[in-house]
Amino acid sequence: MNMLRVWPIVCEFGVGALLCLAGIWAGLRGGYLDLKIAEDRRFLTTLIAGYLLLLAVMCVFTFLSPHWAEGGTP
């Protein structure tokens, strides 16, 4: 595995996740987000699902799609 493909994902999604968690924590602590409100729960669910979907798409295009032209799997 070429680490030049891995490090951008680690930096983008690892550091991004930490910053996002800090923002969610601040929102919950400051009262901007309230988990008792359905709209806020839906917002956090959408945010987390979007993060995971984008991570999955990024991994597919980074690790799997370069091998599709060769006709094989990695």
Side-chain angles (χ1 to χ4, degrees):
M1 176 61 55
N2 187 357
M3 289 304 287
L4 290 175
R5 291 184 181 184
V6 176
W7 286 118
I9 293 175
V10 171
C11 290
E12 288 174 34
F13 289 94
V15 174
L18 292 175
L19 291 173
C20 186
L21 286 175
I24 290 171
W25 176 78
L28 290 170
R29 182 144 170 116
Y32 182 75
L33 295 172
D34 187 3
L35 294 179
K36 296 175 187 167
I37 300 172
E39 186 176 332
D40 289 351
R41 285 193 309 267
R42 201 169 332 139
F43 171 72
L44 288 176
T45 302
T46 303
L47 187 71
I48 292 169
Y51 171 84
L52 294 175
L53 179 66
L54 188 60
L55 176 61
V57 168
M58 182 79 163
C59 287
V60 165
F61 282 110
T62 301
F63 301 115
L64 296 178
S65 66
H67 301 286
W68 290 344
E70 300 169 1
T73 58

